[in-house]
Amino acid sequence: MAKAARAAKVEHMCTGCGFRTSRWLGRCPGCGEWASIVEECAAPGAADAVAIDRVPPESGERLSTGIGEFDRVLGGGLVPGAVVLLAGEPGIGKSTLLLTALDRLARQAPDRAVLYVSGEESLAQIRMRGERLSALSPGLLLRSDSSVADALAAADRLGPLVLAVDSVQTLHVAGLDSSAGSVTQVRDVAARLIEWAKRTGTPTLLVGHVTKDGGIAGPRMLEHLVDAVLSFEGDRSHAYRILRACKNRFGSTNEIGVFEMKGKGLEEVCNPSALFLAERPRGSSGSAVVAVMNGTRPLLVEVQALVADAAGGGSARRTAIGVDSGRVALLTAVLERKQGIVLSDQDIYVNVAGGATLEEPAADLAVAAALASSFRDVPLDPRTVILGEVGLAGEVRGVTQIEQRLGEAAQLGFVRCILPESNARRITGAPLELCGVGTLGAAMEALLT
Ligand code: TYD
Ligand code: MG
């Protein structure tokens, strides 16, 4: 028989320095403060379990980074003691974003320091970047460290409003055999920073480099240790950058923040659709937009099709880039059979813009729409996004993760979605106008007339 639950164990902690004691004391032996010791329930993981209603609620207090797009992705700002990993490829702009946010945080709280520990760059280099970004708040304190112990000792002395470490791969824990950046080192460095953040209640931002394959260099496991993982992405040959929450214990992971890299730093993009659609041809046929999922992340992609009379009497050309050619052949056949769009004597080129790939059947309807649009030479509405799998009978089948796709499309300024009827029926409170279709014919009617 299980024993009856014991009463939750009560502990006491100093609100000033975090000193713990089992009984209440008038003066904290840790920092000497009077009346600073308060009762608190034992932390989860302690020997005794805590009744759910005895757990002190999270204060709900958020610290704004001063950057709206950043706050949005965080779920409304930084949470006390939360550890946020800012991940991205080298050169994408992590340090730029970080420095901008830290400068604005320092401005908000002139009486508190904001501590930026860099193991990557010299203080002079950071100052130079600060000049470029107009981020030279005197409350922003810099340190160049390679030892996590030194960095945390300094943080203990300063009691900063926010601690930032750029990057977690450049710090090391003394006494470990391996060198900075190795899996063991990164894990131990992160563990110490996390322990410190939790103990002091200080929001802590860690920069982490990701490798080409998308893993956070050294260890993917960092993702499991921190409270939030924000991934900073973008094509370096283009100016826009997207900040996404891949994990967030304090907010939704559907939010994205969009920035543009300018000569004087990152600018928030308040109307991202303008940026994303900037390179799309206006009013020309053969272009359709679909929201695909990359793992758990929605991404809007433009599919382009060009259908032209095959030159000469030879066989028609078929070229597909970024989408399976077998899939294109299938859709071509269905369009021909069900819609009377005869493509067998046409050259067909399908391309997914920006080097993206379409691996999901959910992109079928958009590919078919691009083909039909080019064939008929009727442009599609540029603010309509198209979702749906197309079956051989010309039926439009449901897709998964519809809310994320719609959310992404709405955020990027799309106002209408052509989607499978089966999905449309189940959605309430969609962020954009929905047009459910059961067949390819119904979709073509909604799109091309
Ligand atoms: P950086 O923040 O150093 O990237 P990361 O920390 O992710 O490695 O930014 C790298 C690039 O950003 C760099 O190639 C130059 C460019 N940049 C600008 O275009 N404008 C700016 O104001 C700054 C500071 C950088
Ligand atoms: Mg950097």
Side-chain angles (χ1 to χ4, degrees), residues 235 238 240 299 301-302 321-323 351-359:
D235 180 349
H238 290 90
Y240 67 82
L299 183 72
V301 174
E302 182 200 357
I321 298 170
V323 53
N351 179 40
V352 181
T357 53
L358 300 181
E359 275 152 24

Side-chain angles (χ1 to χ4, degrees), residues 53-60:
D53 62 345
R54 295 285 308 271
V55 178
E58 204 94 57
S59 70

Side-chain angles (χ1 to χ4, degrees), residues 270-305:
C270 300
N271 181 8
S273 63
L275 196 64
F276 282 88
L277 305 182
E279 285 183 86
R280 274 205 303 163
R282 287 268 157 185
S284 85
S285 59
S287 161
V289 175
V290 59
V292 291
M293 299 301 296
N294 277 9
T296 57
R297 299 182 204 158
L299 183 72
L300 287 180
V301 174
E302 182 200 357
V303 196
Q304 299 186 320

Side-chain angles (χ1 to χ4, degrees), residues 233-254:
E233 301 165 5
D235 180 349
R236 250 180 294 166
S237 53
H238 290 90
Y240 67 82
R241 302 281 181 272
I242 300 182
L243 186 66
R244 296 173 190 275
C246 315
K247 163 180 175 175
N248 193 351
R249 286 190 182 141
F250 306 107
S252 145
T253 50
N254 291 333

